[in-house]
Amino acid sequence: DTRVPPRQRQKRRREAITAATCLTEALVDHLNVGVAQAYVNQRKLDREVKTLQAQAAQFAKQTGQWIGMVENFNQALKEIGDVENWARSIELDMRTIATALEYVYKGQLQSAPS
């Protein structure tokens, strides 16, 4: 405006520059606080991810051990079943032999002279 004296224009210009500078600094400070908080949060997340990865690896290892134990247990149960079947087979064979021996013994008693 041409009606405003040059000194007053200069003063208003300096005041506007000062106000703009203050506003810019305030905005940058506000943004920096947000960025700093995001950085802190990111570091916390990184630590949590590392902890979670370690726990997941430990859990996977433990699960593998449990699976191995269950497989060993199942194998032992199968072997017990095999032994039980073997014992039944032996028992049946022994009964057959005992019956045959008894039959032979009775036959010898009947054929022996009295």
Side-chain angles (χ1 to χ4, degrees):
D1 190 6
T2 54
R3 290 181 269 156
V4 178
R7 273 196 163 156
Q8 199 171 2
R9 267 189 270 160
Q10 282 286 52
K11 182 181 175 190
R12 286 183 183 173
R13 186 170 186 242
R14 283 192 303 268
E15 288 173 353
I17 290 173
T18 302
T21 302
C22 288
L23 176 62
T24 303
E25 287 175 358
L27 289 173
V28 168
D29 287 346
H30 180 71
L31 288 175
N32 282 342
V33 167
V35 168
Q37 187 61 47
Y39 178 75
V40 167
N41 290 343
Q42 182 63 43
R43 290 192 56 190
K44 286 180 183 178
L45 285 173
D46 289 343
R47 282 194 303 269
E48 290 294 323
V49 165
K50 286 180 183 178
T51 301
L52 185 59
Q53 286 173 334
Q55 289 174 347
Q58 179 62 28
F59 182 69
K61 180 180 175 183
Q62 190 174 30
T63 302
Q65 291 173 342
W66 290 342
I67 289 171
M69 289 172 60
V70 168
E71 288 174 352
N72 289 341
F73 181 71
N74 283 340
Q75 184 61 34
L77 286 177
K78 286 179 187 176
E79 289 172 4
I80 288 172
D82 292 345
V83 169
E84 187 177 355
N85 287 337
W86 175 78
R88 283 187 192 141
S89 176
I90 295 293
E91 182 182 8
L92 184 60
D93 289 348
M94 295 303 284
R95 286 185 182 176
T96 302
I97 291 170
T99 302
L101 288 173
E102 186 178 332
Y103 179 75
V104 169
Y105 179 73
K106 286 181 180 177
Q108 284 179 352
L109 285 178
Q110 290 174 358
S111 64
S114 356

